[in-house]
Amino acid sequence: MPARTDHAKLRGRSWRVLKDEFRKRCREVNARCWICDQQINYQAKFTDPASFEADHVKPVSTHPQLALIMGNLRPSHQSCNRGRGARPIDGAWTRADWS
């Protein structure tokens, strides 16, 4: 069987379980987007730009070993996460309480 690609890990059961647990924890404390510091709509469908999306602080493309580590995740809006892409973090992208 061929080795799974780094991003393929994010389509597997382990990722779904981790993402669901992380979302649950974020929703319980009403965590805000770590990128823009605005409220996240936890009831929104995944297609909504204001919906919750788990952001990998250190991108999977450069740090595949951290893909399934909860400590590498931060709550974000879908639009903020996708807008940031795999760019490295700098002060402009992080809130003080998440860095």
Side-chain angles (χ1 to χ4, degrees):
M1 177 190 288
R4 295 172 62 170
T5 62
D6 299 332
H7 286 1
K9 292 177 186 176
L10 301 182
R11 291 190 294 273
R13 183 179 189 284
S14 296
W15 168 244
R16 285 191 303 273
V17 169
L18 176 67
K19 179 181 64 169
D20 290 347
E21 177 62 24
F22 183 65
R23 177 189 174 101
K24 178 184 162 199
R25 291 180 186 190
C26 291
R27 187 176 183 175
E28 286 173 354
V29 298
N30 201 28
R32 298 167 77 92
C33 177
W34 83 298
I35 297 170
C36 73
D37 195 30
Q38 298 298 310
Q39 291 283 353
I40 296 172
N41 183 349
Y42 288 95
Q43 286 76 40
K45 292 184 179 185
F46 73 94
T47 55
D48 186 323
S51 67
F52 170 85
E53 194 163 273
D55 184 18
H56 288 87
V57 178
K58 296 191 184 226
V60 175
S61 60
T62 57
H63 296 79
Q65 71 280 12
L66 300 177
L68 299 176
I69 304 297
M70 192 177 293
N72 189 41
L73 300 178
R74 298 292 183 272
S76 69
H77 293 111
Q78 178 202 72
S79 58
C80 291
N81 183 28
R82 295 180 187 193
R84 183 176 81 84
R87 284 183 278 184
I89 302 299
D90 63 25
W93 283 103
T94 61
R95 290 179 35 213
D97 58 340
W98 283 102
S99 53

